[in-house]
Amino acid sequence: MNTEHLNPEHPNAATNDAATPGIGRRALLGRVGAAAAALAIGPVLGSGLAKAATGSAEAASWRVPGEDETHQRTWMAWPSSYTIWGNVLPKIQADIAKLAKEVAKYEPVVMCADGSSAASQARSMCGSSVSVLSSIPVSDCWMRDTGPLFRTDGLGGMDALGLNFNAWGENATTFYGLPASAYDKDRVVASKIAAYQGLSLTKASVVGEGGGVEYDGDGTLMATESCWVNSNRNPGKTKAQIEAELLARFGATKMIWLPGVKGQDVTDGHIDGTARYITPGVVMVQLAGAVRPDVWTANAQAIYNVLANATDAKGRRLQVLTIEGPDSLPRISPGRRAEFLSSYMNWTVTNQAVITTQFGDTAKDAAAKSAISAAFGRPVVQLNLDNLYGNGGGGAHCVTMQEPVR
C-alpha cells in the first residue's frame, strides 16, 4: 500500500494537552463519585473527493451489511489527547497499535490521526502495514461509536450513516469532568470520513453510537433500551419513534429491545460487550464470570432470557450460543477488577479471522476461543489488550469500524 499517496499531511500538527488523569470508559459511577491485507485495497482510498451531501441520500434499498460480510477495509482512530487519557496514553497507544497490526494481517486498515505529529507517531508504532491519515482529525480512539456506518444498496452504491455522536450522552463530562470540547473532533468524524471517501452522509434523527446497536444485515437489529431510550441522547422521543428511525436507517424491519444498565458506565450499557450476532439467526451471549459485579451479571442473564425467546425479521427462532466470562483476572490488581471490561464478546470480525482478547484465565480464555471459532468457522486471535479494556473500558470492537465491499 502506498502510504504516502494515501496519507496527505494535515496542515495542523497535533499538540498534547497538559497531563491529567486518564479515564475509563466503562468505569463504575461510584469510582468517580458521581460516575497483508488479505483483500486488495480496491478503489483508491479517498478517490473522488466529492463533497458529501448531508441527509439527502435515503432510499428504501440502503442496508447496513452484517459484520460477517466481506470488508473492503477497517477504519480506526489514533488516540493522542493527554486531556482525555493523561499518563496512561502511551499504554493505550501501544494496545491500539498492536490491534491495528493484527487486523492488517487480514484486511486493509486506515488509521485516522489528529494532525501530522500524531500521524507520524502512529506510523512509527503501527508500521507500514497500516495506512495513516492526518487529514481527518480525531479526539479519541472509539471509531465504532464516532465513525460512520457504511450502507450498500446492492447495486454497487454506498453511502454513510451518522448517528450524531454526543460523547455518550455527554457522559464523558458527567462521569469524568472532561470539557465537552474534548470530543468536538469526534462529533464530526463520521461526516469527515464520508467526505473523504466521496460518500453522501445521511444523518439519523436520533442520537447514539455504533456500539449501541447490533445488526445482522438481514432485517433485524438488537439494542439495549438503556442507551437509546435515554434523555441524555434522545430526550422527548419514545421507544417506538427511536425504533422506527433505526429500522429505517439500517434497512431493517425488526428490533429486539434488550434490558440494559443506565449510569454504571459511560456508555449506559452498550450491547456489544454482552450479545453479538454471529450470522443472521445466530447470536452469542456472554454470561458473566466471577469477576463481574452483580448488576452486570444480572443484566447478562436478562439479555439471554429475552433472546432465547426471540424471533428475527425472517421469523426464525434465534439460536442463542453462550460463553462465560473469566473467573479471574490475574494480571489486574484486585481493586480494579470490578470495573474491568472482561468481555470476550467485544471482538472485531475481519475477512479471515476474529480478533478478541484473553485475560489470563487459562481455562476460560481457551473455552471462549474455541466457542467463537466454532461459531464463525474461522480462526480466532486472542490478544492481551489489558490497558485498553481496563483503562479504556472498551475493546477491539469499540475501536474499529468495518467498511464493507459494495
Side-chain angles (χ1 to χ4, degrees):
M1 188 179 303
N2 185 337
T3 56
E4 290 305 312
H5 177 68
L6 298 178
N7 302 316
E9 286 298 332
H10 191 279
N12 298 313
T15 57
N16 287 333
D17 303 301
T20 57
I23 66 168
R25 199 162 156 271
R26 295 177 186 264
L28 296 179
L29 199 58
R31 178 187 175 205
V32 292
L39 183 70
I41 190 72
V44 175
L45 185 67
S47 61
L49 300 182
K51 183 177 180 181
T54 301
S56 61
E58 193 56 39
S61 60
W62 288 121
R63 174 185 73 102
V64 178
E67 293 181 35
D68 62 313
E69 299 181 46
T70 306
H71 302 171
Q72 186 68 49
R73 57 182 64 89
T74 284
W75 291 82
M76 296 182 67
W78 185 253
S80 59
S81 171
Y82 275 90
T83 293
I84 292 173
W85 287 108
N87 293 329
V88 302
L89 178 61
K91 295 180 180 180
I92 300 301
Q93 291 172 331
D95 275 5
I96 293 293
K98 181 191 297 185
L99 177 62
K101 287 187 285 188
E102 190 64 37
V103 175
K105 294 177 182 178
Y106 308 104
E107 64 192 55
V109 174
V110 181
M111 183 78 70
C112 299
D114 192 19
S116 59
S117 177
S120 178
Q121 182 185 40
R123 291 190 188 106
S124 175
M125 294 183 68
C126 294
S128 61
S129 66
V130 175
S131 203
V132 180
L133 296 177
S134 62
S135 56
I136 300 177
V138 293
S139 302
D140 206 349
C141 59
W142 309 111
M143 185 61 80
R144 179 65 49 180
D145 293 346
T146 64
L149 289 136
F150 296 93
R151 308 190 301 179
T152 59
D153 64 4
L155 299 173
M158 178 178 287
D159 85 340
L161 172 65
L163 294 177
N164 308 300
F165 177 74
N166 72 341
W168 309 282
E170 307 303 342
N171 278 339
T173 296
T174 303
F175 275 37
Y176 314 121
L178 291 172
S181 60
Y183 280 93
D184 279 356
K185 293 169 184 174
D186 280 356
R187 297 171 197 270
V188 295
V189 163
S191 62
K192 297 285 188 181
I193 291 175
Y196 186 86
Q197 290 295 77
L199 299 175
S200 174
L201 178 74
T202 296
K203 287 189 175 182
S205 65
V206 294
V207 173
E209 305 86 37
V213 58
E214 277 283 306
Y215 41 92
D216 68 353
D218 197 34
T220 310
L221 308 180
M222 59 182 183
T224 55
E225 293 186 36
S226 55
C227 293
W228 295 93
V229 192
N230 193 320
S231 61
N232 65 11
R233 293 170 174 86
N234 294 297
K237 291 187 182 294
T238 66
K239 182 168 73 172
Q241 290 172 327
I242 296 166
E243 175 179 317
E245 175 67 358
L246 289 174
L247 291 176
R249 298 306 187 185
F250 276 77
T253 57
K254 181 168 184 176
M255 170 69 83
I256 301 173
W257 285 110
L258 300 169
V261 179
K262 287 184 182 180
Q264 292 294 311
D265 75 341
V266 77
T267 73
D268 290 306
H270 273 182
I271 186 60
D272 66 349
T274 305
R276 303 287 305 279
Y277 275 109
I278 302 295
T279 194
V282 182
V283 298
M284 182 175 280
V285 177
Q286 178 175 308
L287 301 176
V291 295
R292 293 296 275 160
D294 290 346
V295 64
W296 296 109
T297 299
N299 185 244
Q301 185 63 54
I303 286 174
Y304 171 83
N305 292 343
V306 173
L307 291 174
N309 293 288
T311 56
D312 67 11
K314 306 300 185 187
R316 293 171 293 223
R317 182 72 172 261
L318 290 180
Q319 179 184 357
V320 185
L321 309 174
T322 61
I323 59 174
E324 293 183 357
D327 291 325
S328 64
L329 297 170
R331 299 188 297 256
I332 307 303
S333 62
R336 296 181 57 221
R337 290 172 185 169
E339 66 188 38
F340 189 95
L341 178 64
S342 52
S343 171
Y344 299 111
M345 305 299 296
N346 204 262
W347 61 61
T348 188
V349 179
T350 72
N351 287 325
Q352 294 182 321
V354 178
I355 303 170
T356 185
T357 188
Q358 50 90 355
F359 300 111
D361 182 331
T362 305
K364 287 296 186 70
D365 288 350
K369 181 177 182 178
S370 177
I372 297 167
S373 180
F376 276 102
R378 63 184 85 181
V380 169
V381 178
Q382 289 183 307
L383 302 176
N384 178 341
L385 300 172
D386 283 357
N387 288 302
L388 182 62
Y389 279 72
N391 294 298
H397 190 248
C398 296
V399 298
T400 54
M401 177 61 80
Q402 75 285 345
E403 179 184 334
V405 297
R406 300 192 182 207

